[in-house]
Amino acid sequence: MKYLCLVYVEEKILHALPSAQRQTISDESMAYCDRLQKLGQLVTASPLHPVDTATTVRVRDGKTSTIDGPFAETKEQLGGFLLLDVPDLNDAIRIAAQFPAARIGSVEVRPMKEQGCA
Amino acid sequence: MSENQSQQVRTLVDEVYRTQSRQVLATLIRLLGDFDAAEEALHEAFAVAVEQWAREGVPANPRAWLVSTGRFKAIDGMRRRARFDASLPDLAHHLEITTDPVLDEGEDAVEDDRLRLIFTCCHPALSPESQVSMTLREVCGLTTDEIARAFLTKPTTIAQRIVRAKGKIRDARIPYEVPSETDFPDRLDAVLRVVYLVFNEGYSASSGDSLTRHDLSGEAIRLGRVLVGLLPEAEVLGLLALMLLQDSRRAARTSPTGDLILLEQQDRSLWNRDQIAEGTALVERALATRQVGPYTIQAVIAAVHADAPEAALTDWAQIVGLYDVLLQAESSPVVELNRAVAVAMRDGPLAGLALVDVILSRGDLTNYHLAHSARADLCRRLGRTVESKASYERALALTQQEPERRFLEGRLRELG
């Protein structure tokens, strides 16, 4: 059985922390991930860039709309995820737009930070 | 070197900055892969130019010289910083071996870089406000202060918008490229939308000091010309034509006291004939492509107005027909409203009023002041004073524009 764990943090609170404390959290997270991976309990993990960098993709009537910002509506629930490895945002948008769910829901495209531990 | 000579060099450097700095920047962004690094390199290159051109004379190709100097400075800077950051020597080395020999690049490469910059600034993954700010800052070279003045916001707001946009371009990896064939039509639409938005911000000068805001129209027209030079596609021609034809009426649109003058009452001798001639020629070029889109159709409508020596001689039948075509290309309630007004001019106010009431009853334009002022005007022509006053008052309550407000108040006074 695979589980996707989604980590929610209020960015404002995170950014307000002293940098030493942020570093501690980051180091602890990495170490924890390493441990889980050695145990065979973790497939992959990665921090994301802040929500500022999000793009939301929808397709309606065959037309792709690309909007700056995260997916903001609350009536739809997170239904799954794809972890892409492509050269740039244009490729990510193109792939997201072809995913069937983009025609009925929305796909939020978030760039991952390079320093993932998995 | 005499004081006079160094002054001459400085004037020349200023001139090169004005005409070429955006092209140099566009190429540096590609070579360095980063907006901020490219901007820093651009300024360093110009600083070196002031010194070196005075000493050694102006190079044969100042633009290529600036690109090459800027790139060298950036690599040099990375090397110096590399002493403190282990990842930078690799990057500096990488830049040295992977970038093309700049001096050999021809006009095509320079034009491609300008297009890359325009398409990146107008990328739909950036917010619409960021697209406008980035385009004015990076493509047109306006300062954040100038952009803030034009949009009546604080320079810090614009600066934050630009910082955020650059952050997103970097972190989400928005590529610095001209879109692929599949994406091209949509992406070009996005660029044209930004240009027309900038134009309209200046043209309608919806509030505040209209004089500084008018510069935006000029900027949009300049941008339109650059685009026509780079991509002479039907709608690119159509948009420039539309902007020129609308702008040609600028002097006739407002009275010396800043009051609004409607098309019907404008002194047509004040219309700018050069802009009309250029706009009309562009319309013809656009029509010849046989790929007519909404901007071109609107430009044709503007050209029909420009063609009428006086308001009474306007070919309203043709204008109604063009609005029909426009509605097919791009259906919108505002276009429907404009068509209704044209029908009123062709068939009389009663016919127009019936159409306006249908549009208003659908509720699409309930809060659009021009729908109510159009209705008010048609009622006024029909002698329905009470209805007319009610609609003018509705329009007055909705408008944000000072000249518009004065105009509506004037109409209300006339109705007694």
Side-chain angles (χ1 to χ4, degrees):
Chain A
M1 187 75 195
K2 287 199 178 83
Y3 291 98
L4 174 67
C5 300
L6 301 159
V7 183
Y8 289 89
V9 181
E10 201 173 323
E11 282 177 6
K12 250 196 266 166
I13 294 176
L14 189 69
H15 292 150
L17 291 176
S19 65
Q21 206 176 331
R22 268 209 315 272
Q23 193 57 50
T24 311
I25 292 176
S26 166
D27 292 347
E28 247 181 70
S29 311
M30 299 274 221
Y32 183 54
C33 288
D34 278 346
R35 228 160 46 232
L36 289 174
Q37 204 155 33
K38 286 199 184 97
L39 290 169
Q41 291 177 321
L42 175 71
V43 181
T44 181
S46 168
L48 299 174
H49 278 291
V51 72
D52 258 13
T53 60
T55 304
T56 300
V57 181
R58 287 187 185 91
V59 177
R60 297 291 182 270
D61 301 326
K63 241 183 133 49
T64 306
S65 89
T66 309
I67 299 160
D68 175 46
F71 175 68
E73 287 181 46
T74 48
K75 58 182 196 298
E76 285 169 319
Q77 280 82 39
L78 190 72
F81 82 114
L82 299 91
L83 195 54
L84 306 178
D85 187 1
V86 292
D88 60 51
L89 184 68
N90 283 356
D91 296 312
I93 289 172
R94 202 170 303 124
I95 293 170
Q98 282 165 27
F99 196 67
R103 298 197 295 267
I104 47 165
S106 308
V107 181
E108 182 180 320
V109 180
R110 293 280 299 273
M112 241 163 79
K113 289 195 176 173
E114 300 286 344
Q115 80 231 35
C117 63
Chain B
M1 154 147 322
S2 72
E3 188 57 30
N4 195 20
Q5 274 173 308
S6 73
Q7 187 53 45
Q8 272 178 357
V9 169
R10 194 149 305 176
T11 312
L12 187 98
V13 171
D14 284 347
E15 168 72 10
V16 172
Y17 188 88
R18 212 171 43 74
T19 56
Q20 313 258 335
S21 71
R22 297 299 109 187
Q23 282 100 312
V24 175
L25 178 72
T27 301
L28 284 171
I29 294 170
R30 173 170 56 81
L31 295 177
L32 301 173
D34 183 83
F35 275 73
D36 288 331
E39 247 158 83
E40 199 183 317
L42 174 78
H43 288 115
E44 287 199 55
F46 271 96
V48 178
V50 173
E51 302 259 314
Q52 200 167 319
W53 295 5
R55 234 177 21 243
E56 296 166 18
V58 178
N61 183 344
R63 188 182 62 216
W65 185 94
L66 287 160
V67 168
S68 147
T69 305
R71 173 173 159 268
F72 174 76
K73 283 273 159 193
I75 295 171
D76 202 38
M78 273 178 222
R79 280 234 188 74
R80 266 182 283 115
R81 284 193 295 266
R83 277 179 243 147
F84 307 101
D85 182 341
S87 71
L88 286 170
D90 284 353
L91 191 58
H93 181 65
H94 175 80
L95 278 177
E96 259 173 315
I97 56 168
T98 56
T99 52
D100 323 323
V102 176
L103 291 164
D104 293 336
E105 291 190 357
E107 283 303 314
D108 286 354
V110 173
E111 295 197 345
D112 283 350
D113 285 336
R114 286 214 95 179
L115 279 176
R116 282 190 187 99
L117 182 57
I118 292 168
F119 278 106
T120 305
C121 290
C122 298
H123 197 284
L126 303 174
S127 71
E129 308 87 66
S130 298
Q131 292 176 35
V132 168
S133 298
M134 282 295 281
T135 303
L136 289 173
R137 175 76 198 93
E138 308 298 329
V139 183
C140 303
L142 266 60
T143 64
T144 44
D145 280 359
E146 285 168 332
I147 302 168
R149 257 203 311 281
F151 285 92
L152 311 168
T153 66
K154 286 185 292 209
T156 50
T157 309
I158 300 291
Q160 278 163 2
R161 227 172 253 171
I162 289 172
V163 166
R164 213 205 122 206
K166 285 182 188 163
K168 182 156 185 184
I169 290 170
R170 186 185 56 237
D171 294 338
R173 210 174 287 171
I174 292 178
Y176 194 59
E177 65 179 23
V178 177
S180 65
E181 214 174 304
T182 11
D183 295 342
F184 194 84
D186 280 351
R187 295 286 306 280
L188 181 60
D189 278 353
V191 170
L192 298 181
R193 201 175 316 126
V194 167
V195 176
Y196 197 40
L197 209 128
V198 170
F199 177 80
N200 275 320
E201 244 337 284
Y203 189 67
S204 59
S206 55
S207 50
D209 178 1
S210 52
L211 258 176
T212 50
R213 294 162 63 74
H214 284 166
D215 298 345
L216 284 178
S217 304
E219 212 56 62
I221 289 173
R222 253 191 298 283
L223 205 50
R225 284 190 211 283
V226 170
L227 277 173
V228 163
L230 296 170
L231 285 176
E233 306 231 344
E235 281 290 85
V236 180
L237 298 164
L239 175 58
L240 179 58
L242 176 61
M243 294 192 294
L244 286 166
L245 288 165
Q246 289 187 336
D247 203 57
S248 73
R249 302 182 208 135
R250 179 187 300 290
R253 279 177 86 226
T254 43
S255 74
T257 53
D259 286 319
L260 201 69
I261 303 173
L262 295 184
L263 189 59
E264 228 184 317
Q265 275 103 32
Q266 285 172 16
D267 174 358
R268 294 182 181 221
S269 70
L270 295 175
W271 288 2
N272 183 326
R273 289 291 142 194
D274 291 342
Q275 284 182 314
I276 291 174
E278 193 189 350
T280 310
L282 283 162
V283 166
E284 277 159 19
R285 261 177 83 189
L287 288 174
T289 66
R290 308 212 153 268
Q291 287 170 323
V292 175
Y295 291 116
T296 305
I297 303 164
Q298 292 176 79
V300 178
I301 294 172
V304 174
H305 284 298
D307 208 29
E310 52 183 289
L313 297 173
T314 308
D315 186 349
W316 289 106
Q318 200 190 347
I319 289 177
V320 172
L322 288 164
Y323 275 119
D324 287 333
V325 179
L326 184 56
L327 273 174
Q328 273 170 14
E330 186 186 65
S331 147
S332 97
V334 173
V335 175
E336 273 186 74
L337 176 71
N338 289 334
R339 181 184 175 275
V341 173
V343 168
M345 297 306 292
R346 186 190 61 182
D347 303 335
L350 203 55
L353 184 61
L355 294 172
V356 171
D357 280 339
V358 168
I359 299 164
L360 278 173
S361 69
R362 281 205 315 259
D364 294 336
L365 298 180
T366 314
N367 292 320
Y368 186 55
H369 70 276
L370 291 178
H372 296 283
S373 66
R375 184 175 194 281
D377 187 55
L378 295 172
C379 291
R380 185 182 61 89
R381 286 169 199 238
L382 288 165
R384 299 186 189 174
T385 310
V386 179
E387 266 185 273
S388 173
K389 279 170 80 173
S391 287
Y392 274 129
E393 268 155 16
R394 191 74 210 278
L396 191 58
L398 290 167
T399 187
Q400 308 271 322
Q401 306 173 353
E402 196 41 45
E404 192 95 28
R405 181 184 307 282
R406 285 201 298 272
F407 169 80
L408 294 168
E409 282 167 351
R411 276 285 152 95
L412 275 166
R413 267 197 306 278
E414 281 167 29
L415 289 170

